[in-house]
């Protein structure tokens, strides 16, 4: 790598005395909504809670620039979804169906099962797994309307056995995305409302005269959607508050630099806040990737967005060796991790935190975004430290099962009695003591 | 049941034309923090984020009425925890150890495992399960300091393989609870800080000079703690925002009325907001339970709390038959469900929503609260519609694994290319296309 700072993408070295500060700054992301956003969201939610459909219609007319007078104008029928699917070119329809099938297969493996075991005295303990009754899927409208997101959110819910799937997708200025509707058809969405923003989240969380109340809301959205989801959390379940998308690529120096450059671009093209970072212990290789970036940038359709994102949040990081690369992985806890190395299996047990791990030189992140099978809804901004990819488990919940035999209750009653009295909860103690055999 | 309204506990009937409204009112619970609580919490969190230990010390001195000058005065050593354990009467020490062992055994069964599968072309897909690095456990101080909660929060984390467990417990006016410290010793807590409130949540979420930043915060607390947890959610993981504890007992009319009365009391004695509801299709039986309630109430240590809680939020509900009882279960989605019936197994598959299910006449809820094995941290206020008991899975997360063979990448690349171009994400498409074999 040259020593003059590149204008295109930052170059960092773990050898620099300032590295820790630089890295912290690079990773910093404050997804906090300011007080004015908070207040507007609170007002919209309160209005939807009180006035239901009427509030949803008013907000939709205002924010999406429509002139709707009845909620039925904000519904899409099953026939409309099917028509959208049938209207697609064969190639797109086939690709969408192939992706859906692979996503379904993978998620089938994820299903947790109920279990029980019996103790010597006949007491049975276990856990019963059940699906949610109803889930809501938020799909962004406008420029970030992605059919792949519809598949990734709806299919795990379906596999989980959710009884009813409600999708909301705003149509600003009336713009409808046929691919999104086709994906909803394919994924078995039951009802679609063309609403968005905090008003859609409120409608799903509280229910209105027309929009059924759901048990959990999943799917990405802008700051109003994220703020509204945080506000209704507890009233309904939510998936996560997503930050900008990011990738960390670790290369051993033997992957084609143009492949790596394009992998970084594929992240950076999402939006100006997206983050693409490459780590390698091979300085010459980093220089080659940098040259490939410069060479390929002018050929990109979304060149301006990529340039902005690389300049603001991208980095090529030179580290000492493989073990330092692993430290960086676990420090960053990336949403997407590409292990572009000869033996990725060897590194895998060392990876403690990552949303999805793309192993080897052939596994471009883009394959996982669309059709490999695993979910593309992943924990961002370091939240892979404690969060998982969206999955079947997000659409199910568990109930503990306790079935004491007469003898089991008698023995457990003695222990519970002592502990309850230790906590001064004597009604607890007496309730347990009734079951002790005399 | 008599027709004159009881002063002690409300009696409802599903036959009443007003039943749905009465039930909604009975279940209503607004756990919303008002703007002034929100603002005070925001200020404390901002202060802890900026000033670290100093802010924690100031807030602790103020709210817990202490006069501490160094954070080390707010630490408990491993030796102090062990001493607390050793100081317990044998009976309590043995009961605590027996409970811990049973909780450990049950949770061992809950561990999810990593999995992989290989497709025909050599592509490998799977999911890797890893523990959190560090978890924080909030334990309330004062009157609601429960050693059983320490076991229930810490043991699943331990079983999950969490590397470091940090416990916080306020000691208002310097009051330390030896049973709580003993439980922390038994459960293998690594560090204890005697801090509480929003300042403790802030310290765990952001880290200070002395309190390590954790990846997830679990455990119940007052409205300040709940508000702070909601605010830091995203920065760290949180378990849930708990409402008041509740039980729904379904009786077929053949359980001893005194047992049932005491089971209801054991819920009601928690606090004035706790909720105890009994459902039966046997009106005479309900009257007998009511008589038992009146008879036993004066014998309770916490009579005043129980009276208040039964009067405000308790109910005896007469329903038409078993299937109507099941409808009520799923409508209420109770935290604790006691199926005090002859054949609870027969009802089990019909129960869609409940935190924990106590099967049969012998399984008092109190047994599950302390020592049956399953967790007593359960979804409240109807959130069993979408939430699960605290478990090992709350202290682990998953990473998707995608390892494409050269052939697999080539085939997937074709699908991804079509879909990415459909979304106008052409860098995604080109990244995938590099991997297509020519």
């Amino acid at each position: 790598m040259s020593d003059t700072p590149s204008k295109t993408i930052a170059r960092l070295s773990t050898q620099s005395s300032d590295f820790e500060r630089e890295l912290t700054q690079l990773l910093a992301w404050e997804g906090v909504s300011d007080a004015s956003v908070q207040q507007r969201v609170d007002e919209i939610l309160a209005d939807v809670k009180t006035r239901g459909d009427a509030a949803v219609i008013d907000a939709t007319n205002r924010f999406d620039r429509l002139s709707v007078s009845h909620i039925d104008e904000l519904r899409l029928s099953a026939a409309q979804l099917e028509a959208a699917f049938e209207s697609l070119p064969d190639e797109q329809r086939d690709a969408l169906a192939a992706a859906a099938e692979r996503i379904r297969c993978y998620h089938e493996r994820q299903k947790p099962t109920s279990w029980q075991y019996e103790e010597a005295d006949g007491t049975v303990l276990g856990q019963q797994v059940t699906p949610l009754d109803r889930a809501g899927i938020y799909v962004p409208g406008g420029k970030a309307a992605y059919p792949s997101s519809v598949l990734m959110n709806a299919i795990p819910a379906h596999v989980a056995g959710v009884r009813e799937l409600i999708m909301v997708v705003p149509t600003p200025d009336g713009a409808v995305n046929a691919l999104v509707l086709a994906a909803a058809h394919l994924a078995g969405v039951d009802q679609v409302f063309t609403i968005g923003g905090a008003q859609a989240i409120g409608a799903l969380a509280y229910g209105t005269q027309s929009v059924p109340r759901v048990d959990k809301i999943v799917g990405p959205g802008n700051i109003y959607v994220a703020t509204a989801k945080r506000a209704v959390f507890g009233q309904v379940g939510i998936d996560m508050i997503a930050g900008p998308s990011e990738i960390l690529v670790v290369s051993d120096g033997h992957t084609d630099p143009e492949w790596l450059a394009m992998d970084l671009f594929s992240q950076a093209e999402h939006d100006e806040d997206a983050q693409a970072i490459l780590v390698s212990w091979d300085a010459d290789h980093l220089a080659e990737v940098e040259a490939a970036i410069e060479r390929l940038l002018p050929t990109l359709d979304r060149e301006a967005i990529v340039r902005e994102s690389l300049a603001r949040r991208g980095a090529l990081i030179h580290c000492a060796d493989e073990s330092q690369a692993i430290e960086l992985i676990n420090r960053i806890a990336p949403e997407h991790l590409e292990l572009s190395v000869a033996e990725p299996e060897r590194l895998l047990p060392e990876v403690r935190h990552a949303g999805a791990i793309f192993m080897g030189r052939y596994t471009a992140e883009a394959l996982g975004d669309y059709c490999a099978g695993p979910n593309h809804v992943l924990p961002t901004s370091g939240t892979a430290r404690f969060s998982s990819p969206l999955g079947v488990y997000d659409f199910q919940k568990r109930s503990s099962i306790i079935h004491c035999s007469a003898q089991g209750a008698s023995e457990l009653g003695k222990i519970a009695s002592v502990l309850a009295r230790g906590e001064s909860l004597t009604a607890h103690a007496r309730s347990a003591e009734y079951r002790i055999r005399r």
Side-chain angles (χ1 to χ4, degrees), chain A:
Chain A
M1 271 197 300
S2 98
D3 285 312
T4 43
S6 154
K7 289 193 175 65
T8 307
I9 186 166
R11 289 168 303 163
L12 307 180
S13 165
T14 56
Q15 306 300 307
S16 158
S17 60
D18 216 20
F19 177 71
E20 181 54 35
R21 194 192 57 76
E22 290 171 325
L23 181 65
T24 301
Q25 203 176 335
L26 180 71
L27 300 177
W29 177 258
E30 286 279 348
V32 177
S33 39
D34 63 24
S36 84
V37 170
Q38 184 74 54
Q39 199 192 325
R40 287 172 69 183
V41 165
D42 286 348
E43 285 166 11
I44 294 168
L45 291 177
D47 194 26
V48 171
K49 196 172 185 176
T50 312
R51 296 199 301 132
D53 284 347
V56 171
I57 291 169
D58 287 353
T60 303
N61 284 338
R62 185 170 155 210
F63 296 117
D64 293 339
R65 298 166 298 279
L66 302 180
S67 52
V68 160
S69 56
H70 193 276
I71 193 86
D72 284 346
E73 299 170 61
L74 298 173
R75 267 183 214 274
L76 293 177
S77 68
Q80 283 171 290
L81 304 186
E82 190 175 354
F85 181 70
E86 297 301 340
S87 76
L88 295 182
D90 284 355
E91 188 185 51
Q92 276 190 351
R93 206 170 50 215
D94 293 348
L96 211 54
E101 181 54 25
R102 290 190 60 89
I103 295 165
R104 199 179 314 270
C105 281
Y106 177 85
H107 286 82
E108 283 287 350
R109 307 248 179 178
Q110 233 176 23
K111 285 178 85 160
T113 47
S114 302
W115 51 269
Q116 288 195 349
Y117 63 97
E118 188 172 332
E119 300 187 313
D121 63 20
T123 293
V124 173
L125 301 174
Q127 206 159 45
Q128 173 161 287
V129 180
T130 46
L132 306 187
D133 280 354
R134 205 184 274 135
I137 298 179
Y138 190 96
V139 178
K143 62 173 178 172
Y146 296 141
S148 56
S149 287
V150 176
L151 300 184
M152 292 291 184
N153 281 281
I155 291 174
H158 238 280
V159 171
V162 172
R163 294 178 168 205
E164 193 178 7
L165 271 177
I166 316 290
M167 182 173 118
V168 293
V169 54
T171 54
D173 303 307
V176 176
N177 183 322
L179 268 165
V180 163
L181 304 194
H185 168 75
L186 200 55
V189 168
D190 294 291
Q191 290 199 59
V192 177
F193 293 89
T194 54
I195 58 177
Q199 58 274 21
I201 299 300
L204 292 171
Y206 308 127
T208 69
Q209 297 85 341
S210 306
V211 182
R213 182 184 80 151
V214 302
D215 301 304
K216 187 164 187 170
I217 302 173
V218 301
N222 62 18
I223 187 70
Y224 290 93
V225 172
T227 305
K229 279 170 71 179
R230 184 186 293 269
V232 299
F233 169 56
Q235 172 75 34
V236 292
I238 63 170
D239 52 346
M240 55 182 88
I241 308 289
S245 194
E246 2 116 15
I247 193 170
L248 176 65
V249 181
V250 175
S251 171
D252 61 7
H254 299 286
T255 303
D256 185 326
E258 294 206 343
W259 290 24
L260 295 174
M262 198 58 77
D263 293 353
L264 297 174
F265 294 156
S266 77
Q267 193 60 47
E269 76 172 338
H270 274 292
D271 60 69
E272 295 80 355
D273 291 323
Q275 182 156 62
I277 300 176
L278 171 65
V279 170
S280 182
W281 46 91
D282 182 334
D284 294 339
H285 177 64
L286 286 172
E288 285 164 17
V289 174
E290 191 174 11
I293 287 174
E294 298 289 1
R295 196 162 60 241
L296 290 172
L297 257 173
T299 72
L300 298 179
D301 289 328
R302 294 162 74 100
E303 181 187 353
I305 294 174
V306 172
R307 280 195 185 278
E308 175 81 10
S309 142
L310 290 184
R312 285 175 51 194
R313 308 203 68 219
L316 306 176
I317 302 179
H318 183 225
C319 67
D321 51 25
E322 188 183 275
S323 82
Q324 224 175 37
I326 289 168
E327 271 176 48
L328 278 169
I329 291 170
N330 289 322
R331 165 79 166 75
I332 294 173
E335 180 191 12
H336 302 99
L337 170 64
E338 230 179 78
L339 296 176
S340 208
V341 300
E343 294 180 279
E345 309 78 11
R346 210 166 41 71
L347 273 60
L348 189 60
E350 308 295 317
V351 176
R352 298 206 308 282
H353 316 300
I357 307 170
F358 299 81
M359 315 251 298
R361 309 188 203 290
Y362 287 102
T363 315
E365 187 220 304
L367 304 180
D369 285 344
Y370 292 104
C371 57
N375 213 287
H376 80 193
V377 180
L378 298 165
T380 57
S381 310
T383 58
R385 291 184 292 120
F386 54 83
S387 305
S388 301
L390 189 71
V392 172
Y393 35 78
D394 285 299
F395 298 97
Q396 298 184 317
K397 64 274 181 335
R398 302 167 171 94
S399 303
S400 303
I401 295 169
I402 311 177
H403 193 167
C404 290
S405 65
Q407 191 193 332
S410 183
E411 292 309 309
L412 292 178
K414 295 170 193 166
I415 302 171
S417 164
V418 171
L419 294 174
R421 290 183 182 279
E423 292 182 353
S424 303
L425 294 176
T426 44
H428 282 69
R430 291 170 66 184
S431 164
E433 288 156 11
Y434 274 136
R435 276 81 173 185
I436 299 176
R437 286 175 169 170
R438 303 295 163 185

